[in-house]
Amino acid sequence: MLFGTIVGSLADKHGRKRASMTYCITYILSCITKHSPQYKILMVGRILGGIATSLLFSAFESWLVAEHNKRGFEQQWLSLTFSEAIFLGNGLVAILAGLFGNLLVDTLALGPVAPFDASSCLLAIGMAIILSSWTENYGDPSESKDLLTQFRGAAVAIASDEKIALLGAIQSLFEGSMYTFVFLWTPALSPNGEDIPHGFVFATFMLSSMLGSSFASRLLGRASIRVEGYMQTVFLISSASLLLPFITSFMVAPTEKGGSISFAGCIQMLGFCVFEACVGLFWPSIMKMRSQYIPEEARSTIMNFFRIPLNISVCIVLYNVDAFPISIMFGMCAIFLFIASLLQRRLLVVAESSWPLEKVRELETEPLNNI
């Protein structure tokens, strides 16, 4: 929240290509620290990891949107690129990375740090590709603007444009629930020490996410379907799916210690797969909305602003994870997602009021044109 937000926001002024290369360097250094058992060095690695994560979720997307617009490509292609990135990157590559990491640790017996070393090699390759093939682009490269001025400008943009503020709140609510789910799904499926196949479950989640992103590409590929509209339904479905652990805690009797996954666990597993499909829908859709509403000159800075309440909420949840039952934590996430659906409805209303009349008529007549 602290270091990542500051460094990530420098991308607008000093260049998105340079920031993307900085991501590779900082994460390589973070991976190297895993070889040390000393807490101080590991903490430095986490600081570097926080900086790298902030750059990962802002610099690359900002570079892509700016480069796409600079080359005059069709806006519809941007949506398809986002969908393919989530399908291949967050889905297929995530599964392959997990299998490869398992191969290094278990099959080849290279130790638990081996996946971090492999990551460093891949990051070095990625940095070489960025260095050799990317052009640089900026938000506002004005030398007169220091970091504080950038933050002030981003805060003014968020406060003065309701669409940006709503988008930031929606993103924080959904991603906060998503990261809470990442921490809690394992104890939720095995509350009594049940023996569950974690690798298979993770692969199933990733497949569900891939299906969601594939469906998103179809929705984003049709100009008559508004991303602001269908995302309301996505948030409602995701809210219902994370409400299942809360419901099953009252309706299904607890099982004995050990054994395989329980009946309640199977029901929750189904809901978690639905939630992961919603995650697959969420990423390309939120990227599309960010490309529409966030101003180019402060894109990275504003995107990192959105991550501040997200990181605060995750810290609060983790700090109090033992204070409440897991079912209550999932119930809170369901409430957050329901609020996100209400905010999404408001975003649709505000966005429609600002659209030009010609755009509305175009969307209304497109089905007739297709016929």
PDB file of all heavy atoms in Angstrom, residues 55 97 102 129 180 208 215 245 256 274 348:
ATOM      1  N   LEU A  55       3.259  -2.195  -9.717  1.00  0.00           N
ATOM      2  CA  LEU A  55       3.642  -1.949 -11.111  1.00  0.00           C
ATOM      3  C   LEU A  55       2.958  -2.923 -12.051  1.00  0.00           C
ATOM      4  O   LEU A  55       2.532  -2.555 -13.149  1.00  0.00           O
ATOM      5  CB  LEU A  55       5.163  -2.053 -11.259  1.00  0.00           C
ATOM      6  CG  LEU A  55       5.991  -0.954 -10.592  1.00  0.00           C
ATOM      7  CD1 LEU A  55       7.471  -1.323 -10.591  1.00  0.00           C
ATOM      8  CD2 LEU A  55       5.780   0.387 -11.293  1.00  0.00           C
ATOM      9  N   ALA A  97       2.203 -22.877 -14.731  1.00  0.00           N
ATOM     10  CA  ALA A  97       3.198 -22.438 -13.750  1.00  0.00           C
ATOM     11  C   ALA A  97       3.111 -23.261 -12.469  1.00  0.00           C
ATOM     12  O   ALA A  97       4.135 -23.627 -11.876  1.00  0.00           O
ATOM     13  CB  ALA A  97       3.007 -20.951 -13.436  1.00  0.00           C
ATOM     14  N   ASN A 102       5.509 -27.393  -9.141  1.00  0.00           N
ATOM     15  CA  ASN A 102       5.397 -28.676  -8.449  1.00  0.00           C
ATOM     16  C   ASN A 102       6.448 -29.661  -8.955  1.00  0.00           C
ATOM     17  O   ASN A 102       7.021 -30.439  -8.181  1.00  0.00           O
ATOM     18  CB  ASN A 102       3.999 -29.245  -8.661  1.00  0.00           C
ATOM     19  CG  ASN A 102       3.734 -30.466  -7.806  1.00  0.00           C
ATOM     20  OD1 ASN A 102       3.535 -30.369  -6.607  1.00  0.00           O
ATOM     21  ND2 ASN A 102       3.753 -31.634  -8.422  1.00  0.00           N
ATOM     22  N   ILE A 129      12.532  -8.802 -23.704  1.00  0.00           N
ATOM     23  CA  ILE A 129      11.524  -8.560 -24.747  1.00  0.00           C
ATOM     24  C   ILE A 129      11.028  -7.121 -24.675  1.00  0.00           C
ATOM     25  O   ILE A 129      10.874  -6.441 -25.704  1.00  0.00           O
ATOM     26  CB  ILE A 129      10.353  -9.551 -24.590  1.00  0.00           C
ATOM     27  CG1 ILE A 129      10.827 -10.978 -24.863  1.00  0.00           C
ATOM     28  CG2 ILE A 129       9.205  -9.178 -25.523  1.00  0.00           C
ATOM     29  CD1 ILE A 129       9.785 -12.040 -24.584  1.00  0.00           C
ATOM     30  N   THR A 180      -9.590 -11.997  -0.098  1.00  0.00           N
ATOM     31  CA  THR A 180     -10.047 -12.678   1.109  1.00  0.00           C
ATOM     32  C   THR A 180     -10.389 -14.134   0.790  1.00  0.00           C
ATOM     33  O   THR A 180     -10.054 -15.047   1.555  1.00  0.00           O
ATOM     34  CB  THR A 180     -11.276 -11.963   1.690  1.00  0.00           C
ATOM     35  OG1 THR A 180     -10.950 -10.602   1.975  1.00  0.00           O
ATOM     36  CG2 THR A 180     -11.745 -12.647   2.971  1.00  0.00           C
ATOM     37  N   SER A 208     -12.289 -22.601 -14.267  1.00  0.00           N
ATOM     38  CA  SER A 208     -13.513 -21.809 -14.147  1.00  0.00           C
ATOM     39  C   SER A 208     -13.249 -20.364 -14.540  1.00  0.00           C
ATOM     40  O   SER A 208     -14.064 -19.727 -15.227  1.00  0.00           O
ATOM     41  CB  SER A 208     -14.038 -21.871 -12.711  1.00  0.00           C
ATOM     42  OG  SER A 208     -14.326 -23.203 -12.326  1.00  0.00           O
ATOM     43  N   PHE A 215     -16.120 -16.235 -21.856  1.00  0.00           N
ATOM     44  CA  PHE A 215     -17.468 -15.684 -21.990  1.00  0.00           C
ATOM     45  C   PHE A 215     -17.416 -14.161 -22.070  1.00  0.00           C
ATOM     46  O   PHE A 215     -18.173 -13.535 -22.819  1.00  0.00           O
ATOM     47  CB  PHE A 215     -18.324 -16.139 -20.811  1.00  0.00           C
ATOM     48  CG  PHE A 215     -19.780 -15.783 -20.931  1.00  0.00           C
ATOM     49  CD1 PHE A 215     -20.491 -16.053 -22.088  1.00  0.00           C
ATOM     50  CD2 PHE A 215     -20.440 -15.169 -19.878  1.00  0.00           C
ATOM     51  CE1 PHE A 215     -21.838 -15.728 -22.207  1.00  0.00           C
ATOM     52  CE2 PHE A 215     -21.777 -14.832 -19.973  1.00  0.00           C
ATOM     53  CZ  PHE A 215     -22.481 -15.112 -21.144  1.00  0.00           C
ATOM     54  N   PRO A 245     -20.951 -20.554   1.934  1.00  0.00           N
ATOM     55  CA  PRO A 245     -20.360 -21.013   3.199  1.00  0.00           C
ATOM     56  C   PRO A 245     -21.148 -20.554   4.420  1.00  0.00           C
ATOM     57  O   PRO A 245     -21.252 -21.293   5.411  1.00  0.00           O
ATOM     58  CB  PRO A 245     -18.957 -20.393   3.181  1.00  0.00           C
ATOM     59  CG  PRO A 245     -18.656 -20.184   1.743  1.00  0.00           C
ATOM     60  CD  PRO A 245     -19.976 -19.834   1.106  1.00  0.00           C
ATOM     61  N   GLU A 256     -17.109 -35.394  11.099  1.00  0.00           N
ATOM     62  CA  GLU A 256     -16.047 -35.776  12.012  1.00  0.00           C
ATOM     63  C   GLU A 256     -14.696 -35.345  11.455  1.00  0.00           C
ATOM     64  O   GLU A 256     -14.559 -34.995  10.288  1.00  0.00           O
ATOM     65  CB  GLU A 256     -16.069 -37.290  12.228  1.00  0.00           C
ATOM     66  CG  GLU A 256     -17.352 -37.793  12.876  1.00  0.00           C
ATOM     67  CD  GLU A 256     -17.319 -39.298  13.064  1.00  0.00           C
ATOM     68  OE1 GLU A 256     -16.328 -39.930  12.633  1.00  0.00           O
ATOM     69  OE2 GLU A 256     -18.280 -39.836  13.644  1.00  0.00           O
ATOM     70  N   VAL A 274     -18.130 -21.069  -9.338  1.00  0.00           N
ATOM     71  CA  VAL A 274     -18.938 -19.999  -9.925  1.00  0.00           C
ATOM     72  C   VAL A 274     -18.285 -18.643  -9.672  1.00  0.00           C
ATOM     73  O   VAL A 274     -18.223 -17.779 -10.564  1.00  0.00           O
ATOM     74  CB  VAL A 274     -20.367 -20.029  -9.354  1.00  0.00           C
ATOM     75  CG1 VAL A 274     -21.168 -18.813  -9.831  1.00  0.00           C
ATOM     76  CG2 VAL A 274     -21.079 -21.311  -9.763  1.00  0.00           C
ATOM     77  N   LEU A 348     -23.796   2.705 -14.330  1.00  0.00           N
ATOM     78  CA  LEU A 348     -24.514   2.596 -15.598  1.00  0.00           C
ATOM     79  C   LEU A 348     -25.385   3.821 -15.832  1.00  0.00           C
ATOM     80  O   LEU A 348     -25.407   4.378 -16.943  1.00  0.00           O
ATOM     81  CB  LEU A 348     -25.369   1.325 -15.600  1.00  0.00           C
ATOM     82  CG  LEU A 348     -26.287   1.129 -16.819  1.00  0.00           C
ATOM     83  CD1 LEU A 348     -25.466   1.001 -18.098  1.00  0.00           C
ATOM     84  CD2 LEU A 348     -27.180  -0.091 -16.622  1.00  0.00           C
TER      85      LEU A 348
END
